[in-house]
Amino acid sequence: MSHTFRVDLRGIIDLLSHHLYSSPRVYVRELLQNAVDAITARRELDPSCPADVTITCGATLTITDTGVGLTEDEVHELLSTLGRTSKRDDLGFAREGFLGQFGVGMLSCFLVASSVTVITRSARGGPGVRWEADSSGNYTVSEVDSADAEVPVGTTVVLSASRGNEHWLEADVVRPLVSDYGDLLPAVVTLDGAVVTRGVRPWDGADGEETDLSAYCEQVLGFTPFEAIPIEVEAAGLTGVAFVLPSGVHPGTRQTHRVYLKRMLVGDNVEGLLPDWAYFVRCVVDASAIRPTASRESLYQDEMLLAVREELGEQIRDWLIRLDAIEPRRAGELLAAHHLGIKSLARSDDEMLRLVERWLPFETTDGPIPLRQFKRKHGAILYIPDVDEFHQLAPVAAAQGLGLVNAGYAYDLELLNRLGALDGPAVARRVAPSELLAALADPEPDVEKALRLRLSEGAAALDRHDCDAVIRDFDPVSLPALLISNADQQRKLDTEQTAGETTDPLWAELLGRLTAGSDSSRPEQLVLNCRNPLVQRLARLTDPSLVELTLESLYVHAVLQARRAMRPKDTAALNRSFLELLDRAVGGK
């Protein structure tokens, strides 16, 4: 024995208000949607029929349209049945070319109304019909007595507010909602006698005149755009404008857009329309073939939306390339404001990579300059992938006439690797700190001899930190010592320490094999600058304890200069050397 599901209208309304729609305000959209669908249907019968929607506010809200109207049978099928679309299509309300569906739209009125009355007369003939329903799920249908007054073709909907929702039917609340949702609808919408919609898309122009899109952007998005880019995706029936933000925003900022579906507003905070890298662009678009979600407040993630996102990304990218060719100065300004998004695109796009190479300043030993300018001066792009390491080595490299690029910021390393892959490794390559060490000059023999004697006397200070000392002669003179790390040796040291601490013999044996065969140099080198007066005085010291104290102080200073994380023994050395030097300064031992 089969049974039929029962539907509790109060439960459905609660579901809509708390879980489907974000706000009761959507009832205005649904009423406008039904009205425009009815006008669209009537124009298939009579292309010359008026396209008017009239709204009046007071004790009740009344909305009247000049649409196709409904017969009594259609009232039962369309207003009093939920979830049935096939019959709706049979009656001529096929979804192609229409904004929504009757029934669900009318149901949303109960978000704010205790009762809804519909008075309608079909353009296909028949008497006028009155449909009255309340939020309990009860409704009546009756013919309108034509002796009182002949009902015109079209539909009038009257809402009576439910308790606590009276404000939703007031003109001050309804007017901005009608203006927002119905601004572009192909109908004249009036509220209390005043037209509240423009009826034309701004990017299409009006009466052959060009619209000021910058002013439109200020009005709807709240900023003056750097550029307004016309966009179109024919397969989705999409047209609109992409507005480029005039100043930089954080890449994590929500990328939202104003989206219309068949000229009805879906929302002004719709996400997912553009690729993630285009976070500096805001769009206003109207489409006919993309799908909204059930609430019609956002977009459904399907293949069509993915295709639209890809195509719009290509159009914005092509505009960037044209801007670089036609207005290079403005292209440079744009990259300066939105470099992260354009860098992100350049990771996989060769033309955008060339644009970044020409215009985007990178941090270098010559100051912030584009990579192409740096390459013209130095012949090759030598880069360091760590910000702190770059800041430590840059003054020394610049003093020796070597050019370095800081590749430690977001996407920089990937872009430089791509340049090396495209143009050859000689054009862009990573520099090891040991290469810089090889470029430093050897000291005078007598100075080196004296310093090596002091280093042998104070060897214990550097042994405690697994550090070797190297003597060089370099600028700047103000820098007494430079700390250079060997990453491979640091990993070896960490592995040996782990092997010594583990209790698993198999794991210890595996770690031992990993470290076997590697060179025995220490993970860090303290490069002493013979030109520095302090180092020169170190060479003349005769007190071994003071030599050891000075070497440890120079090591700790170099660690701080390198911005390397302080280990516990480094912190202990800092405290010990500072206090001992202070003790000597005030007359201690």
Side-chain angles (χ1 to χ4, degrees), residues 160-337:
S160 298
S162 55
R163 181 175 297 179
N165 288 313
E166 292 83 1
H167 64 286
W168 285 108
L169 306 188
E170 294 175 359
D172 290 343
V173 174
V174 175
R175 184 176 291 104
L177 295 179
V178 173
S179 180
D180 264 357
Y181 284 121
D183 193 33
L184 307 186
L185 290 176
V188 178
V189 182
T190 60
L191 191 151
D192 291 342
V195 177
V196 291
T197 58
R198 73 181 77 200
V200 63
R201 297 179 297 198
W203 52 92
D204 291 338
D207 300 326
E209 296 181 2
E210 186 175 345
T211 303
D212 184 353
L213 292 177
S214 291
Y216 174 71
C217 181
E218 291 177 15
Q219 176 189 344
V220 299
L221 299 180
F223 64 88
T224 302
F226 177 88
E227 187 72 69
I229 311 167
I231 51 178
E232 181 177 4
V233 182
E234 186 175 351
L238 183 147
T239 63
V241 188
F243 296 103
V244 180
L245 290 165
S247 57
V249 293
H250 192 278
T253 303
R254 288 178 63 233
Q255 180 199 105
T256 60
H257 311 279
R258 190 176 180 90
V259 177
Y260 294 84
L261 180 59
K262 298 172 185 174
R263 300 192 177 221
M264 175 68 75
L265 181 68
V266 172
D268 52 10
N269 288 295
V270 177
E271 301 183 49
L273 192 65
L274 293 181
D276 290 341
W277 62 261
Y279 64 87
F280 53 90
V281 178
R282 299 290 181 269
C283 293
V284 181
V285 301
D286 177 42
S288 60
I290 55 178
R291 294 172 57 196
T293 57
S295 65
R296 281 174 278 186
E297 295 177 317
S298 57
L299 300 180
Y300 188 75
Q301 299 287 332
D302 58 7
E303 291 184 359
M304 176 59 75
L305 184 59
L306 291 175
V308 166
R309 187 181 303 147
E310 182 177 351
E311 175 62 25
L312 292 181
E314 282 295 311
Q315 292 182 25
I316 294 171
R317 168 200 173 275
D318 292 345
W319 168 78
L320 287 168
I321 299 298
R322 289 195 304 272
L323 183 69
D324 179 42
I326 298 171
E327 299 182 80
R329 181 186 60 80
R330 294 191 74 218
E333 293 174 358
L334 181 72
L335 262 70

Side-chain angles (χ1 to χ4, degrees), residues 119-121 126-129 144-146 149-156:
I119 301 172
T120 181
R121 182 183 173 200
V129 179
V144 177
D145 187 0
S146 58
E150 184 175 348
V151 178
V153 172
T155 300
T156 296

Side-chain angles (χ1 to χ4, degrees), residues 391-409:
H391 287 154
Q392 181 202 8
L393 300 179
V396 179
Q400 317 313 311
L402 297 176
L404 296 179
V405 173
N406 184 359
Y409 296 117

Side-chain angles (χ1 to χ4, degrees), residues 524-545:
E524 292 182 328
Q525 291 178 305
L526 183 67
V527 185
L528 298 174
N529 184 6
C530 292
R531 296 186 185 181
N532 181 266
L534 176 60
V535 176
Q536 292 173 356
R537 288 195 293 273
L538 170 64
R540 298 192 294 269
L541 290 177
T542 58
D543 182 352
S545 64

Side-chain angles (χ1 to χ4, degrees), residues 346-365:
R347 292 181 300 165
S348 57
D349 188 288
D350 291 346
E351 289 191 75
M352 293 304 300
L353 180 63
R354 296 304 182 191
L355 189 149
V356 167
E357 182 189 13
R358 283 196 300 274
W359 295 109
L360 188 62
F362 279 66
E363 185 178 8
T364 75
T365 48

Side-chain angles (χ1 to χ4, degrees), residues 520-589:
S520 57
S521 61
R522 288 175 171 175
E524 292 182 328
Q525 291 178 305
L526 183 67
V527 185
L528 298 174
N529 184 6
C530 292
R531 296 186 185 181
N532 181 266
L534 176 60
V535 176
Q536 292 173 356
R537 288 195 293 273
L538 170 64
R540 298 192 294 269
L541 290 177
T542 58
D543 182 352
S545 64
L546 185 55
V547 170
E548 184 175 337
L549 178 58
T550 304
L551 282 174
E552 189 163 45
S553 299
L554 287 173
Y555 171 80
V556 174
H557 177 265
V559 169
L560 295 173
Q561 285 288 107
R563 304 183 187 183
R564 197 203 68 188
M566 297 281 285
R567 298 169 296 186
K569 61 181 177 180
D570 298 333
T571 304
L574 174 63
N575 294 331
R576 180 173 60 250
S577 61
F578 173 76
L579 292 175
E580 288 192 24
L581 287 172
L582 184 61
D583 183 56
R584 287 175 178 267
V586 297
K589 291 182 180 180

